[in-house]
């Protein structure tokens, strides 16, 4: 495939290739990424997907009383330097328009970071991803961390942090998945990906019936590696360093690549990186 810089008729072989790859089980997001990497402009990539019958269903309706326009996020009116998160005031260090992202300081203290690590350590296992074609989880080479999940409200520490998240991001506790703890050793990484689920993927219906779509992520940094391990957004040229106690929020309420929320965890060069991740859903997650 050759690079295209202006609107022109789509080659038949391009449409056939997209259709064959979709039939093989690849997601629309994966195909779009492949087309962009090959040099096709975003609008031509979208036309090729549409011509091959790869469409994205309308987003699921919200399953709570929140209005359809509601989305999680901090109240940044007045450009505050700190925000009341209930049991503490959290610093606002940086904001980004696209992707919609906010970097917070002083979200977790040293005691909380250490406690989460020690509670999670004996329960770690190789991290998994949701497999194409089903709602099952599988080990994938793109994700080489170790991890575990706390149930929502599993212990007083998790309950306190979840309440802080809900207050800071103005989103109900029950609309959040369980807190995930991840450890990245030297060489471990998570290649660029989207956190939302592609509704066009087989098996996504079962996932989306349980709380609706993911629409935002909060990454909390628990332990700093000696080198590497940043959270990067390749389309935005944004790289967030994993500073202990900081938290990175980003959202994608429309669940499309236009959110510029494609992101990854860069390989750890030395030491270990520990993070906690909270995914927020449209509705109640049970």
């Amino acid at each position: 495939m050759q690079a295209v810089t202006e609107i022109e008729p789509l080659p038949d072989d391009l449409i056939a290739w997209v259709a064959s790859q979709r039939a093989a089980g690849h997601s629309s997001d994966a195909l779009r990424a492949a087309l962009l990497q090959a040099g096709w402009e975003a609008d031509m990539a979208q036309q090729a997907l549409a011509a091959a019958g790869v469409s994205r269903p309308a987003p699921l309706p919200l399953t709570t009383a929140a209005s359809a326009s509601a989305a999680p996020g901090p109240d940044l009116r007045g450009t505050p330097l700190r925000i009341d998160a209930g049991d503490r005031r959290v610093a606002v260090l940086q904001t980004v328009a696209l992707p919609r992202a906010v970097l917070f300081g002083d979200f977790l203290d040293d005691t909380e970071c250490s406690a989460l690590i020690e509670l999670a350590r004996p329960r770690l296992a190789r991290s998994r991803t949701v497999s194409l074609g089903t709602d099952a989880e599988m080990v994938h080479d793109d994700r080489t961390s170790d991890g575990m999940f706390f149930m929502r409200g599993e212990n007083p520490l998790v309950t306190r942090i979840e309440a802080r998240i809900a207050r800071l991001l103005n989103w109900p506790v029950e609309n959040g998945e369980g807190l995930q703890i991840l450890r990245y050793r030297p060489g471990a990484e998570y290649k660029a990906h989207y956190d939302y689920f592609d509704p066009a993927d087989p098996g996504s219906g079962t996932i989306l019936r349980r709380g609706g779509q993911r629409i935002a992520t909060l990454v909390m940094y628990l332990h700093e590696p000696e080198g590497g391990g940043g959270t990067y957004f390749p389309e935005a040229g944004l790289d967030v360093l994993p500073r202990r106690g900081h938290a990175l929020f980003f959202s994608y309420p429309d669940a499309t690549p236009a959110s510029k929320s494609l992101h990854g965890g860069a390989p750890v060069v030395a030491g270990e990186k520990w993070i906690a991740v909270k995914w927020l859903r449209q509705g109640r997650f049970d």
Side-chain angles (χ1 to χ4, degrees):
M1 293 182 291
Q2 60 182 11
V4 176
T5 57
E6 60 183 17
I7 300 300
E8 59 183 54
L10 294 172
D12 291 339
D13 58 349
L14 171 64
I15 299 174
W17 179 85
V18 172
S20 67
Q21 294 301 304
R22 189 67 183 91
H26 296 290
S27 71
S28 59
D29 288 335
L31 294 176
R32 185 180 292 103
L35 291 169
L36 294 175
Q37 186 176 7
W40 294 91
E41 297 293 330
D43 54 354
M44 294 294 284
Q46 187 57 45
Q47 288 183 55
L49 292 169
V54 181
S55 60
R56 183 184 301 277
L60 293 180
L62 294 179
T63 55
T64 67
S67 69
S69 62
D75 185 354
L76 298 177
R77 291 174 296 180
T79 319
L81 297 182
R82 289 187 175 272
I83 298 177
D84 181 9
D87 62 343
R88 70 181 57 201
R89 291 176 62 79
V90 174
V92 179
L93 302 180
Q94 183 180 8
T95 63
V96 179
L98 195 65
R100 181 174 178 250
V102 183
L103 179 63
F104 298 108
D106 305 322
F107 183 80
L108 297 171
D109 60 35
D110 287 345
T111 300
E112 291 171 328
C113 290
S114 296
L116 284 174
I117 289 172
E118 293 312 311
L119 288 170
R121 191 185 298 276
R123 295 163 58 179
L124 293 177
R126 174 69 186 271
S127 298
R128 296 172 176 266
T129 60
V130 177
S131 64
L132 288 173
T134 72
D135 61 349
E137 294 185 341
M138 62 179 294
V139 171
H140 198 287
D141 290 341
D142 284 354
R143 192 179 198 188
T144 51
S145 59
D146 300 311
M148 57 78 64
F149 275 95
F150 288 111
M151 294 177 59
R152 201 170 56 224
E154 179 174 328
N155 57 54
L157 175 59
V158 169
T159 298
R160 182 169 75 245
I161 293 172
E162 289 175 334
R164 189 180 304 159
I165 293 171
R167 176 72 172 264
L168 178 65
L169 301 181
N170 300 294
W171 206 246
V173 170
E174 60 268 22
N175 287 23
E177 297 182 26
L179 196 66
Q180 186 181 37
I181 309 298
L182 295 167
R183 177 183 64 187
Y184 292 81
R185 291 174 168 171
E189 65 177 320
Y190 195 178
K191 295 181 180 178
H193 62 282
Y194 297 101
D195 280 352
Y196 59 79
F197 304 108
D198 186 346
D201 283 340
S204 65
T206 300
I207 298 171
L208 295 177
R209 282 194 291 271
R210 191 183 177 196
Q213 184 61 269
R214 283 178 179 171
I215 52 177
T217 301
L218 185 70
V219 179
M220 296 153 271
Y221 301 100
L222 308 180
H223 185 272
E224 301 172 13
E226 297 172 23
T231 304
Y232 63 93
F233 294 78
E235 296 177 329
L238 176 64
D239 191 3
V240 179
L241 301 181
R243 182 71 65 185
R244 181 178 171 100
H246 286 189
L248 172 65
F249 166 80
F250 57 97
S251 64
Y252 32 92
D254 295 327
T256 70
S259 65
K260 301 296 183 183
S261 64
L262 181 71
H263 66 286
V268 170
V269 175
E272 290 186 348
K273 178 182 78 171
W274 289 74
I275 62 174
V277 182
K278 170 67 76 170
W279 287 292
L280 303 180
R281 297 286 192 109
Q282 288 177 309
R284 183 182 180 92
F285 179 81
D286 293 313

